[in-house]
Amino acid sequence: MAVNVPPLAPVPAATVPLPRSAPEGPRGAAGAPDGTYARWYGRELGWSLVGGPPGQLVTGTRFDVLELPSDAGAQLLRRPVATGPVALMGRRMRFLVAPGSAEELDGLLDWLEWGGVALDLAALGTGGRITAPAPPGRPGAEESPRGAAVWLRPPEQGCEALLPALAGPGHGSTGADLVRLVAAAATECHRARLRRRTPLRSAVAGPLTGRPGQALPGQARFS
């Protein structure tokens, strides 16, 4: 007996959504969708964006940047230490400091007895660039891709005069103390590095066993 097989229904073509570009800076002329970035920086701060996309801010003229891991930066923001504007991009946090501060970092770390310690603490000065974070309050900024540059503490007009700087004759800064900021940043970078390297005891060996001071299997021993 013949069996009637109904015809297969046509399979609709798959629709692939267009990729959404990362709104990290201007995409061209001032009339482009992200041209508002350049207009905001120029109108509100008097800063110019270069390169791109994404647009970038040049360091060494209006400000330098102190850069550190985001986990250390998060702890630094909880400290009672005055800072200037702060930006986040991916796993790096950027603290704006007075121009010329980048040249002082190595000397300050030596003076604070952090010289030679691996801290993952860096500075950008003359000739450096950072991705311009999205202007604060920009519509749709909450939809920015993960890892895009954003302001945690946005800059305001005239903020350059209050950026952390070295105090004393010849510097003339009325802003926060750069030495205090670097000292706190170095401490938090060191603590963050130890947290990443030191496993939880309970996760490694369960309840404590052995003699006091004896390293457990798989656990580093620190003097």
Side-chain angles (χ1 to χ4, degrees):
M1 180 177 65
V3 178
N4 294 325
V5 179
L8 294 176
V11 179
T15 302
V16 179
L18 294 175
R20 180 163 61 97
S21 59
E24 291 189 32
R27 291 201 297 256
D34 286 328
T36 53
Y37 277 46
R39 291 198 299 272
W40 182 84
Y41 277 100
R43 181 182 66 250
E44 299 295 330
L45 305 174
W47 297 358
S48 299
L49 301 189
V50 298
Q56 298 176 321
L57 294 168
V58 176
T59 59
T61 303
R62 294 181 178 272
F63 58 84
D64 284 358
V65 168
L66 191 67
E67 186 180 87
L68 59 159
S70 58
D71 54 350
Q75 295 300 320
L76 179 57
L77 289 176
R78 295 186 176 96
R79 279 175 163 253
V81 178
T83 74
V86 181
L88 174 69
M89 183 173 180
R91 297 183 178 181
R92 305 294 291 179
M93 200 171 291
R94 293 161 174 170
F95 290 70
L96 270 58
V97 292
S101 299
E103 300 175 1
E104 306 288 348
L105 180 60
D106 288 343
L108 283 177
L109 291 175
D110 287 340
W111 185 72
L112 293 167
E113 299 185 353
W114 285 107
V117 180
L119 296 172
D120 199 10
L121 177 62
L124 297 173
T126 303
R129 294 184 180 186
I130 62 170
T131 299
R138 175 180 177 271
E142 66 277 1
E143 300 176 2
S144 296
R146 187 174 183 179
V150 295
W151 286 112
L152 300 180
R153 292 182 178 176
E156 298 179 353
Q157 190 173 34
C159 66
E160 297 94 333
L162 301 176
L163 293 177
L166 287 176
H171 296 284
S173 172
T174 58
D177 186 359
L178 179 66
V179 177
R180 291 180 182 273
L181 178 61
V182 169
T187 299
E188 294 303 338
C189 283
H190 183 61
R191 289 175 175 173
R193 183 168 177 264
L194 292 180
R195 285 194 298 269
R196 295 185 214 108
R197 292 180 56 187
T198 307
L200 294 175
R201 285 181 175 178
S202 58
V204 175
L208 290 178
T209 58
R211 298 187 302 273
Q214 181 182 11
L216 299 175
Q219 183 179 20
R221 178 179 178 180
F222 296 91
S223 56

